[in-house]
Amino acid sequence: MPKVIIDGAELDVENGTTLIQACEQAGAEIPRFCYHERLSIAGNCRMCLVEVKGAPKPQASCAMSVNDLRPGPNGEPPEIRTNSPLVKKAREGVMEFLLINHPLDCPICDQGGECDLQDQAMAYGIDKNRFHENKRAVEDKYIGPLVKTVMTRCIQCTRCVRFTTEVAGVEELGAIGRGEDMEITTYLEQAMSSEMQGNVIDLCPVGALTSAPYEFKARPWELRKTETIDAMDAVGSAIRVDVRGREVMRVLPGLNEEVNEEWISDKSRFIWDGLRSQRLDKPYIRDNGKLRAASWDEVFSLIVSKLRSAGPDKTAALVGDLNAVEEVFALKTLMDKLEVKNLDCREPGNPLGEAGGRAGYIFNSTIAGIEQADAIMLIGTNPRLEAPVLNSRIRKRYLAGNVHIGVIGERADLTYPYTYLGDGPAALEELSRHKAAKAERPMFIIGQGALARPDGKAVLATAMKAARNIGVVKDGWNGFNVLHTAAGRVGALDVCALPTMPGGKDTAAILTGAKSGKIEVVYLLGVDEIDMASLGDAFVIYQGSHGDAGAHRADVILPGSTYTEKSATWVNTEGRPQMARRANFPPGDAREDWAIIRALAGKLDVNLSFDNLEYLRAEMYKAAPHLAAIDTVAPADAWLLSDIAKAGGKMTAKPFESPVKDFYLTNPIARASRIMAECSAMRLNAHKQAAE
């Protein structure tokens, strides 16, 4: 390992370490604008200059490796100074150049108060300017409804260009012109198409790229910041929710190296206006075909009378996509006490949880494990729409090289090249006949487009046979992965929200029974994605946060809370329990969902053995102990996966189709968002123009 002396302290560093990394390891602070740990090195801004003893001039520490340094005349380690007079003068000169054309926009700039340029000008700049010429002005560029541009502020660090090209995989941003005339723009001045374009807002070190929906809304010092978990997909990205009063003002990414690194999707970032639109803020009862506001006592009395008259055999409960584990466990406990056997948390036809143990429905290799795979097969999934952050991890693995990617299902633009094997079951059947692969760590990623269908059990069994033959599951490696689209699905499966008792009906049978009249009462816990016409004349109890499809069909509405309004446990697609923290409070009479179910149990004279969240979690941890290990993925028993291959049934010839058709409108919160509606309309128009 090379030895270097940094500010008088000697240390050993690994081969290939850049000077900026070595200086940070030594505890020195190096300013930078263009350098970013997750992007390629550009060396544009020169703010990271350091003095290398013996060098004729200051060196850009981001673009030089410790291996490029020569030892001293007597063999002593190379010496680097980060705070010498030469370095101080160089940084002041660089800052002076950067501010030549930068406008005096700080009072009206949305970046004010959290701007790298402000901070570094204070720390490393000077209070004089020798340039008196007129400042350069640059025309603002339209790059879509999400990112606002004020390109006069741009310092050409090219972070945005490198992100869209390398991480997002959409080569739509670039630089035109040279020298003073250089500008960052989309090539045809059209809206960017990436589902992760909002991350350029965080990357921009000045106010050139800011959030368009957040424009002039608030200042950072006015906001209360809460670290929590995203629920817009099943990845479980770390996020920060910024709140003023009771209102969510913006959502920013958090740091979690194992899950989302520091990126989030645009849906996660810009969903915040949907959190307060079309909200259910009081209980409702349907009288003569119309909903009217009611008191909690009135709605509970009506529900109690309906449940008692129907009896357990004619009652069913369905669990939706955005429910935390606590309310699902509370509902399951209540249904068990009422001896209701008809309970399910899956889409019609979905076989997950019936065989294979926990390994049969989680992302066994973990999301970070994608970087270890040398062969990846995508089956019935479009990860770019279903989980953009996970898709960027696959692209990261592709850029590292020596990986083969195959697709069975839709032929879509996934931002990386792949081998297309076919559109459905026939290709999967052919794959199952293959013997051991040459890859040492092959991986299957099976999506809900292959499982949420009438022949889902046969598809899962065939995929398991193929995995067994190819060597996807073996000692030291389990690459059999299920990619979920719903944030609450794995947690619901963990607490066994399934028709496990003899005679219990799954989702498809519940809908059939409701339509035929055999099911008289249906309890919908946040369920909006089913065909409401299938519920027939059943009495529908809807508990949720938004006036979406479930509320339109409901006979009784119980107003619940969203994922930012409760302290709750979520389990992501890899089986990682994560604790979300409450950032704000629900509106009006809306309450936390577990508390609503506990209050209903009291009216039914049912003892649930918990009266507060602490006791509920204690009971939940008894039923599923791994949920207590927050942010830890408990390895599932891979040997149980062999049970999946034993399932019978025959696959149909119907092609696999991703369940996500419109990335921006996948759940009630998204459908209530004006920002998401604008993005959806823009994407639809772009597809129409491309088709023409």
Side-chain angles (χ1 to χ4, degrees), residues 28 41 85 103 121 156 209 244 272 297 319-320 336 393 415 443 514 632-633 648 653-654 673 684:
I41 294 171
Q156 287 93 36
L209 302 176
R244 184 174 62 187
W272 48 266
D297 286 338
V319 175
D336 288 346
R393 185 82 75 151
T415 72
M443 174 184 292
T632 301
V633 180
K654 183 180 178 182
S673 168
L684 183 62

Side-chain angles (χ1 to χ4, degrees), residues 626-650:
H626 64 274
L627 295 177
I630 299 299
D631 205 33
T632 301
V633 180
D637 293 329
W639 61 272
L640 292 173
L641 287 172
S642 58
D643 294 341
I644 295 177
K646 300 175 183 176
K650 185 177 181 180

Side-chain angles (χ1 to χ4, degrees), residues 78-99:
E79 186 174 346
I80 302 168
R81 301 188 183 106
T82 68
N83 51 13
S84 66
L86 178 64
V87 172
K88 183 176 184 296
K89 183 179 179 181
R91 289 174 180 170
E92 290 173 352
V94 169
M95 182 59 69
E96 191 175 0
F97 272 113
L98 288 175
L99 294 176

Side-chain angles (χ1 to χ4, degrees), residues 474-488:
K474 53 189 173 184
D475 290 341
W477 176 253
N478 186 350
F480 190 80
N481 300 320
V482 175
L483 177 59
H484 291 269
T485 56

Side-chain angles (χ1 to χ4, degrees), residues 227-247:
E227 302 285 344
T228 184
I229 303 301
D230 174 53
M232 289 299 102
D233 55 34
V235 172
S237 300
I239 58 172
R240 193 187 87 191
V241 178
D242 289 358
V243 176
R244 184 174 62 187
R246 298 173 68 98
E247 187 176 344

Side-chain angles (χ1 to χ4, degrees), residues 259-449:
V259 181
N260 63 307
E261 297 180 308
E262 59 184 84
W263 319 122
I264 55 174
S265 71
D266 292 339
K267 187 163 52 177
S268 303
R269 181 185 296 270
F270 295 106
I271 200 72
W272 48 266
D273 69 320
L275 292 168
R276 60 176 179 265
S277 300
Q278 300 181 24
R279 287 301 301 271
L280 300 173
D281 59 354
K282 60 186 68 175
Y284 287 89
I285 291 176
R286 190 176 297 277
D287 277 345
N288 299 320
K290 293 185 178 181
L291 290 169
R292 65 170 177 83
S295 66
W296 282 105
D297 286 338
E298 188 177 2
V299 296
F300 282 155
S301 297
L302 178 59
I303 292 171
V304 169
S305 65
K306 291 292 184 180
L307 288 174
R308 286 177 174 167
S309 63
D313 292 337
K314 295 185 178 181
T315 300
L318 293 174
V319 175
D321 294 351
L322 299 181
N323 296 304
V325 185
E326 284 83 356
E327 56 251 32
V328 178
F329 179 76
L331 180 64
K332 174 179 169 52
T333 305
L334 175 60
M335 292 298 128
D336 288 346
K337 296 281 187 177
L338 295 175
E339 298 182 350
V340 174
K341 300 178 289 186
N342 309 315
L343 170 68
D344 203 358
C345 66
R346 306 163 300 176
E347 309 99 320
N350 195 318
L352 297 177
E354 296 178 8
R358 196 163 183 262
Y361 60 81
I362 67 172
F363 206 94
N364 288 286
S365 70
T366 73
I367 294 172
I370 291 173
E371 298 183 27
Q372 301 176 29
D374 50 5
I376 301 173
M377 180 62 66
L378 304 175
I379 303 172
T381 180
N382 181 345
R384 180 174 176 181
L385 300 182
E386 297 171 22
V389 173
L390 185 143
N391 191 64
S392 71
R393 185 82 75 151
I394 300 176
R395 175 171 171 79
K396 181 180 179 181
R397 177 64 190 91
Y398 156 72
L399 292 176
N402 297 320
V403 65
H404 300 281
I405 303 174
V407 168
I408 297 177
E410 296 179 355
R411 192 193 292 267
D413 178 8
L414 299 179
T415 72
Y416 43 81
Y418 56 81
T419 301
Y420 188 67
L421 301 182
D423 63 358
L428 181 60
E429 184 70 41
E430 178 64 26
L431 182 66
S432 68
R433 299 191 187 101
H434 283 263
K435 298 303 178 184
K438 296 179 181 179
E440 294 183 4
R441 291 176 177 263
M443 174 184 292
F444 277 11
I445 300 179
I446 306 167
Q448 302 308 302

Side-chain angles (χ1 to χ4, degrees), residues 18 127 164 397 402 420 468 480 496 520 560 584-585 627 635 648:
T18 59
D127 60 353
T164 55
R397 177 64 190 91
N402 297 320
Y420 188 67
R468 186 174 56 191
F480 190 80
C496 207
E520 297 179 358
N584 61 325
F585 290 88
L627 295 177

